Amino acid sequence: MTKFGQDLIESANEALAIALGKAKPARTITVETVDVAAIRKRLGLSQDAFAKKFGLSAATLRDWEQGRRQMDRTAQAFLKVIDRAPEVVEKALKAA
Amino acid sequence: MTKFGQDLIESANEALAIALGKAKPARTITVETVDVAAIRKRLGLSQDAFAKKFGLSAATLRDWEQGRRQMDRTAQAFLKVIDRAPEVVEKALKAA
DNA sequence: GATCTTATACGGCATTGCCGTAGTCTGGTC
DNA sequence: GACCAGACTACGGCAATGCCGTATAAGATC
């Protein structure tokens, strides 16, 4: 079985436990999905190139795309802006 | 003496120690300064309003402005963009 | 003085940021 | 087929942050 498959099952079990009141949600966050990989691929950039262009750490980007870490609110907001106005972001950062 | 004054002195002593080779830098980062409070005040917003408008956590914003926490790379990049194109950012986030 | 707003200060813990590195896959070149 | 380089996945690991809450201070308005 793939790792993704295992993760899915784990998540499902956890969700069930929470629903049954047997477990508490680790945190309550709005489940807004920001698909970094999708945004990046739409821009036709490698992970390293994307990270460099938008001032991110390549390591952190990796963690996000691999589902190892959750983006915090700041990152989510930033990624949305990158998604909608990548060129503006790029220019703003170049003007540093 | 103000807290800011104390911080300054502490930082100076630490920098000296590092320069003398008596201490290691906690981390090597580019010392790019992003003054959140300045950006926010220029926009005429309270901490809460600023946080809400740009999708940040008010608690995190507080920590940054109080010098309690260091902004990570993502946050620094984002803040620069907010600094240079606040309206674009705002619109991009509204279009969620 | 009473009240409201805004900002500072800080305890606290789960979770992330970021570094490094090993392994896999694909496409190109010899 | 063997080999190399670029891109991605996977993950150990620790210092540091994210985010919550709350108590206190300073300024404005009544």
Side-chain angles (χ1 to χ4, degrees), chain B:
Chain B
M1 157 146 22
T2 64
K3 180 179 179 304
F4 179 65
Q6 290 176 17
D7 283 349
L8 267 185
I9 293 175
E10 274 179 28
S11 293
N13 283 331
E14 195 177 328
L16 180 59
I18 293 172
L20 294 175
K22 292 184 179 177
K24 280 187 184 176
R27 245 206 252 184
T28 46
I29 57 172
T30 14
V31 197
E32 286 194 72
T33 314
V34 176
D35 189 342
V36 210
I39 297 174
R40 177 174 64 78
K41 283 169 186 165
R42 195 160 53 68
L43 295 174
L45 297 169
S46 73
Q47 292 179 337
D48 285 322
F50 186 84
K52 205 159 291 180
K53 175 164 288 193
F54 296 114
L56 309 173
S57 155
T60 302
L61 215 208
R62 271 191 317 236
D63 285 341
W64 291 339
E65 292 204 11
Q66 292 176 205
R68 216 183 155 212
R69 301 275 191 268
Q70 204 87 26
M71 299 172 41
D72 58 35
R73 291 194 197 171
T74 308
Q76 292 201 10
F78 190 29
L79 263 285
K80 279 186 198 165
V81 178
I82 291 176
D83 186 24
R84 271 138 197 153
E87 296 178 13
V88 176
V89 174
E90 195 183 345
K91 282 181 189 169
L93 291 177
K94 271 189 185 170

Side-chain angles (χ1 to χ4, degrees), chain A residues 1 5 10 12 17 22 25 27-28 30 42 47 59 61 63 67 70-71 82 87:
Chain A
M1 156 145 23
E10 272 179 30
K22 293 184 180 178
R27 248 206 251 184
T28 46
T30 16
R42 195 159 55 66
Q47 292 179 337
L61 216 209
D63 285 342
Q70 204 86 27
M71 297 171 44
I82 291 177
E87 297 178 14

